[in-house]
């Protein structure tokens, strides 16, 4: 398939997200590598994947697992060589799959040569590549902005007596997009990869690149008061993205997804409406904050199911109305596993994994599958705080203790919230280390791997893997999944999420019981009689042993989930 012939080919696609460090190790070093991914291309093709999102494999000190880039155009030797990359690219293409690279240009590593130059003196030609500020009058931090990983966002540098901005780790220095030379560097590095033939980019925290140039203190009037209102969806962000589209995305016909931190729908419409010539689609995280009390990630509460449904529904309706396009996801490398978070990862693990998949893949947008999701990997069992590797988790554990939490409480919070929940090695089979490595894995392998692994699921028609495979194939066959208008059907139901998608030729119905008790779902009379009654219906996919006939009143067993099409 030549994707350049079909403009919106990615609307029918499914993306698979690979966290290379935890995917497949071929050297015995304990960390995954590019050759490991090459060895699994047949697996991904078998699943039916269209696009592989490969997370950062560039030269990097790995303080944030590659999101701290020290050279944008070279491969980190830990992951392999440029020849390996070219082989991966060719291997994907020959199997009809596309490669999407992760581009991290809100910040670079402080080990990047630009930063090394920049910090030397105030008149260095690279000084303005980054955001340097004098101490506040009387000394101290330039403002009260906080790092997303905890603590102040400013790092003092003795050489020149100024602070530089780091919205993430203290070794991830924010680039100064106001500087035209920075913009040209970014265009150059993206052109490098586009010329190599990649099909697209995932743009890391791209809505944070334009900062309010007054750098005001955050008065705390909007939670969480950490400064984000002054750099999120900032003043020139659309201008910068349009520039990238004009010079790179449009020119090479790329598929692009922008990762939008704490964004709004109005901005996401603009980012992803094709007429705006910005991105193909956007990630937002509102639905993954429904268990944050008052927006606080490091405090726990049971998740708000109604809020989850409202958010999905609002974004389905709103993005469509504005001509935008959603990237659909429950999991990624920054989130605990949705399976453990929103459903049941014990007795009903398999049903739950399938329910989440069916619910998500029936929505309008392009679905993303994060490695391990397709076999129902839950959060791992953590036994000790020393098992965590992520810089955010280790920082936060310390901060929670400083705030007066007991070690038990702090450990419990980290277990629930850590990004490491999704970063444990991919479970391929029941051999040592789940077949991920012959060496010592860089992060623990979940102890349930003998039961939960790819090998055990490939040939089992009822496995989570085969459920995903079926859903991915359905998207290619059933048009209403791509273009149907969304309508929420479950209003008021405390356990059920139900919706319809309608394109005037076909009607899709998805009904999911997000609870561990039996329940009943009833269609509203008018909807039932006008849209379903008397028409022929086909069950496309389900997850329970007994599949009910589509009726006005449907009995649902724990975590049962069904998708029908009515024609
Ligand atoms: O993440 C952006 C981001 O804001 C988060 O999801 C972040 O992990 C969370 O706010 C912390 O509480 C992206 C990458 O996906 C992530 O892995 C990187 O660490 C981050 O940017 C910095 O590059």
């Amino acid at each position: 398939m030549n994707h350049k012939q079909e403009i919106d080919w990615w609307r029918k696609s499914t993306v698979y997200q690979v966290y290379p460090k935890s995917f497949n190790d071929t050297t015995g070093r304990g960390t995954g590598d590019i050759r490991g991914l090459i060895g699994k291309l047949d697996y991904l093709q078998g699943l039916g994947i269209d696009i592989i999102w490969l997370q950062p494999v560039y030269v990097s000190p790995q303080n944030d697992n590659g999101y701290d880039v020290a050279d944008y155009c070279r491969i980190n030797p830990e992951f392999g060589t440029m020849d390996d990359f070219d082989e991966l690219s060719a291997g994907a293409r020959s199997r009809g799959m596309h490669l999407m690279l992760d581009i991290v240009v809100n910040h670079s590593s402080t080990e990047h040569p630009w930063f090394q130059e920049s910090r030397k003196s105030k008149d260095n030609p690279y000084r303005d590549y980054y955001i340097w500020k004098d101490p506040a009058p009387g000394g101290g931090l330039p403002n009260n902005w906080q790092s997303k990983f905890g603590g102040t966002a400013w790092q003092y540098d003795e050489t020149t007596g100024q602070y530089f901005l780091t919205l993430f780790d203290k070794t991830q220095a924010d680039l100064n997009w106001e500087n035209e030379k920075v913009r040209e560097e970014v265009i150059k590095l993206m052109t490098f990869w586009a010329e190599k033939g990649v099909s697209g980019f995932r743009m890391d925290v791209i809505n944070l690149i334009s900062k309010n140039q007054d750098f005001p203190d955050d008065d705390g009037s909007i939670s969480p008061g950490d400064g984000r209102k002054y750099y999120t969806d900032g003043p020139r962000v659309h201008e910068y993205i349009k520039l990238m589209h004009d010079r790179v995305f449009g020119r090479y016909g790329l598929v692009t997804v922008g990762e939008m931190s704490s964004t709004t729908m109005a901005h996401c419409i603009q980012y992803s409406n094709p007429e705006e010539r910005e991105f193909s689609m956007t990630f937002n995280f509102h639905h993954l904050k429904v268990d944050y009390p008052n927006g606080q990630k490091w405090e726990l509460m049971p998740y708000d199911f109604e809020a989850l449904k409202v958010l999905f529904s609002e974004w389905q309706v709103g993005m469509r109305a504005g001509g935008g396009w959603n990237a659909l996801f429950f999991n990624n490398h920054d989130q605990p596993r949705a399976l453990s978070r929103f459903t049941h990862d014990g007795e009903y693990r398999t049903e739950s994994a399938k329910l989440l998949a069916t619910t998500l893949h029936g929505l309008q947008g392009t679905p993303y599958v994060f490695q391990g999701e397709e076999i129902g990997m839950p959060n791992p069992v953590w036994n000790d705080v020393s098992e965590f590797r992520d810089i955010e988790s280790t920082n936060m554990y310390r901060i929670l203790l400083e705030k007066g939490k007991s070690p038990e409480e702090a450990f419990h919070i980290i277990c629930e919230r850590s990004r490491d929940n999704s970063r444990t090695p991919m479970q391929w089979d029941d051999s040592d280390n789940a077949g991920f490595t012959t060496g010592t894995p860089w992060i623990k392998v979940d102890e349930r791997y003998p039961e939960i692994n790819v090998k055990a699921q490939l040939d089992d028609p009822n496995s989570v893997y085969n459920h995903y495979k079926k859903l991915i194939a359905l998207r290619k066959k059933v048009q209403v999944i791509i273009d149907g208008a969304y309508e929420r059907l479950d209003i008021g139901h405390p356990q059920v999420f139900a919706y319809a998608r309608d394109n005037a030729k076909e009607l899709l119905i998805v009904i999911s019981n997000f609870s561990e008790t039996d329940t009943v779902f009833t269609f509203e009379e008018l909807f039932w009689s006008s849209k379903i009654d008397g028409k022929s219906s086909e069950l496309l996919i389900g997850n329970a042993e007994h599949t009910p006939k589509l009726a006005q009143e449907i009995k649902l067993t724990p975590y049962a989930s069904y998708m029908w099409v009515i024609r």
Side-chain angles (χ1 to χ4, degrees):
M1 174 183 74
N2 180 354
H3 68 257
K4 282 170 186 145
Q5 287 167 1
E6 204 188 333
I7 294 169
D8 288 353
W9 60 279
W10 41 266
R11 292 187 194 237
K12 291 184 182 163
S13 297
T14 301
V15 185
Y16 188 91
Q17 182 188 350
V18 173
Y19 199 68
K21 195 165 182 172
S22 301
F23 196 60
N24 187 25
D25 175 20
T26 59
T27 65
R29 213 186 262 134
T31 52
D33 45 59
I34 294 174
R35 300 214 67 81
L37 173 53
I38 295 173
K40 298 296 181 185
L41 285 174
D42 285 340
Y43 168 73
L44 296 180
Q45 187 186 20
L47 187 57
I49 291 306
D50 305 281
I51 302 174
I52 301 166
W53 156 18
L54 176 65
Q55 296 189 247
V57 289
Y58 317 105
V59 171
S60 152
Q62 296 284 314
N63 292 332
D64 189 21
N65 286 353
Y67 284 92
D68 45 333
V69 182
D71 187 333
Y72 289 98
C73 298
R74 275 173 47 227
I75 303 291
N76 189 331
E78 262 183 51
F79 288 117
T81 64
M82 195 57 90
D83 284 346
D84 294 336
F85 179 84
D86 290 335
E87 193 179 323
L88 170 68
S89 190
R93 197 174 310 119
S94 71
R95 289 170 179 79
M97 295 186 287
H98 298 273
L99 208 53
M100 176 189 256
L101 287 195
D102 213 317
I103 301 287
V104 190
V105 286
N106 173 66
H107 44 264
S108 80
S109 165
T110 50
E111 287 188 18
H112 195 291
W114 299 336
F115 189 81
Q116 293 296 316
E117 282 301 312
S118 182
R119 77 175 352 162
K120 283 183 183 161
S121 66
K122 285 187 182 169
D123 56 9
N124 188 285
Y126 288 89
R127 186 66 170 183
D128 283 343
Y129 271 45
Y130 295 89
I131 300 170
W132 292 97
K133 292 282 166 227
D134 282 329
L141 302 166
N143 69 24
N144 65 358
W145 295 5
Q146 298 290 300
S147 152
K148 306 250 183 202
F149 293 163
T152 175
W154 296 98
Q155 312 305 325
Y156 185 68
D157 202 47
E158 290 203 334
T159 316
T160 53
Q162 283 191 317
Y163 288 87
F164 62 96
L165 181 70
T166 62
L167 291 182
F168 291 88
D169 182 50
K170 59 181 188 304
T171 64
Q172 289 166 303
D174 280 59
L175 284 158
N176 177 21
W177 277 73
E178 296 285 316
N179 182 350
E180 194 189 341
K181 287 190 196 138
V182 166
R183 303 196 293 269
E184 288 303 320
E185 296 278 11
V186 171
I187 283 161
K188 206 163 107 189
L189 73 90
M190 291 196 303
T191 304
F192 172 84
W193 291 107
E195 282 291 330
K196 270 195 161 292
V198 304
S199 297
F201 297 134
R202 176 264 187 191
M203 306 292 299
D204 191 63
V205 289
I206 199 65
N207 66 328
L208 310 186
I209 59 179
S210 170
K211 278 85 174 167
N212 178 320
Q213 291 302 298
D214 296 333
F215 293 86
D217 262 331
D218 194 324
D219 61 7
S221 59
I222 302 174
S223 176
D226 57 3
R228 67 183 65 188
K229 65 179 173 188
Y230 295 117
Y231 58 74
T232 302
D233 301 317
R236 297 179 68 184
V237 66
H238 292 284
E239 171 196 333
Y240 297 154
I241 298 171
K242 283 178 166 44
L243 176 78
M244 294 189 254
H245 188 288
D246 187 38
R247 303 273 300 278
V248 190
F249 312 153
R251 199 169 138 215
Y252 291 92
L254 302 181
V255 52
T256 52
V257 54
E259 187 204 27
M260 304 304 175
S261 174
S262 302
T263 188
T264 63
M265 201 188 310
H267 278 289
C268 283
I269 287 170
Q270 193 175 347
Y271 292 130
S272 65
N273 182 322
E275 285 172 15
E276 295 286 342
R277 301 179 62 81
E278 296 192 9
F279 292 131
S280 313
M281 57 190 133
T282 51
F283 288 117
N284 81 81
F285 295 90
H286 296 289
H287 64 300
L288 297 180
K289 295 183 179 172
V290 294
D291 51 2
Y292 293 6
N294 299 315
Q296 300 295 330
K297 175 170 176 178
W298 302 98
E299 285 168 29
L300 303 180
M301 72 171 205
Y303 84 96
D304 182 340
F305 180 47
E306 179 60 23
L308 184 77
K309 294 190 283 183
V310 166
L311 281 162
F312 269 127
S313 304
E314 283 177 1
W315 282 79
Q316 283 291 295
V317 173
M319 288 289 272
R320 181 190 176 91
W325 193 255
N326 283 303
L328 304 168
F329 71 110
F330 264 131
N331 294 288
N332 71 24
H333 64 295
D334 294 331
Q335 299 288 329
R337 297 274 180 183
L339 176 55
S340 302
R341 195 172 172 185
F342 300 129
T343 53
H344 197 289
D345 66 6
E347 188 189 344
Y348 298 113
R349 186 183 60 81
T350 300
E351 290 81 353
S352 293
K354 294 177 183 174
L355 163 137
L356 289 171
T358 306
T359 309
L360 192 79
H361 286 235
L363 296 172
Q364 187 166 36
T366 298
Y368 285 65
V369 181
F370 177 66
Q371 65 183 48
E373 177 184 332
E374 79 280 21
I375 54 167
M377 277 175 65
N379 284 348
V381 177
W382 300 107
N383 297 310
D384 191 83
V385 71
S386 63
E387 293 169 338
F388 291 99
R389 296 287 175 271
D390 180 25
I391 184 123
E392 184 195 41
S393 304
T394 51
N395 279 351
M396 282 300 169
Y397 182 73
R398 184 177 36 77
I399 291 171
L400 289 168
L401 294 183
E402 283 164 13
K403 283 188 175 160
K405 298 268 187 229
S406 70
E408 294 71 34
E409 284 171 311
F411 176 62
H412 179 57
I413 294 175
I414 301 296
C415 288
E416 293 291 316
R417 292 284 193 252
S418 175
R419 306 193 297 178
D420 283 336
N421 280 308
S422 57
R423 298 178 179 186
T424 58
M426 180 67 183
Q427 294 162 199
W428 295 106
D429 57 37
D430 59 3
S431 69
D432 287 352
N433 295 319
F436 163 68
T437 180
T438 55
T440 307
W442 71 278
I443 187 170
K444 76 177 285 180
V445 177
D446 184 28
E447 56 202 48
R448 281 164 293 182
Y449 78 83
E451 177 208 345
I452 307 168
N453 64 65
V454 168
K455 189 160 167 249
Q457 297 195 17
L458 281 178
D459 299 325
D460 171 3
N462 294 319
S463 67
V464 177
Y465 168 86
N466 277 302
H467 190 89
Y468 269 87
K469 186 170 170 167
K470 212 169 157 187
L471 278 171
I472 292 166
L474 279 173
R475 160 167 300 271
K476 301 266 192 295
K477 288 191 298 229
V478 182
Q479 182 62 22
V480 68
I481 297 179
I482 311 300
D483 61 12
Y486 175 94
E487 183 181 348
R488 184 176 163 190
L489 301 179
D490 64 72
I491 313 301
H493 201 299
Q495 288 147 282
V496 173
F497 186 6
Y499 61 82
R501 304 273 313 282
D502 193 345
N503 69 0
K505 292 191 199 89
E506 296 171 315
L507 179 72
L508 190 80
I509 299 286
V510 177
I511 302 177
S512 303
N513 175 11
F514 274 70
S515 82
E516 53 190 283
T517 53
D518 290 340
T519 189
V520 173
F521 172 76
T522 310
F523 286 97
E524 279 182 13
E525 177 57 33
L526 185 62
F527 186 89
W528 174 260
S529 56
S530 63
K531 297 215 165 179
I532 306 180
D533 201 15
K535 302 211 170 101
S536 78
S537 67
E538 181 194 346
L539 180 78
L540 295 176
I541 195 163
N543 69 348
E545 248 170 60
H546 302 288
T547 36
K549 210 174 128 5
L550 185 56
Q552 190 169 3
E553 202 178 87
I554 295 180
K555 287 202 179 81
L556 298 159
T557 53
Y559 297 101
S561 171
Y562 304 100
M563 182 188 279
W564 283 276
V565 68
I566 289 108
R567 295 185 172 106

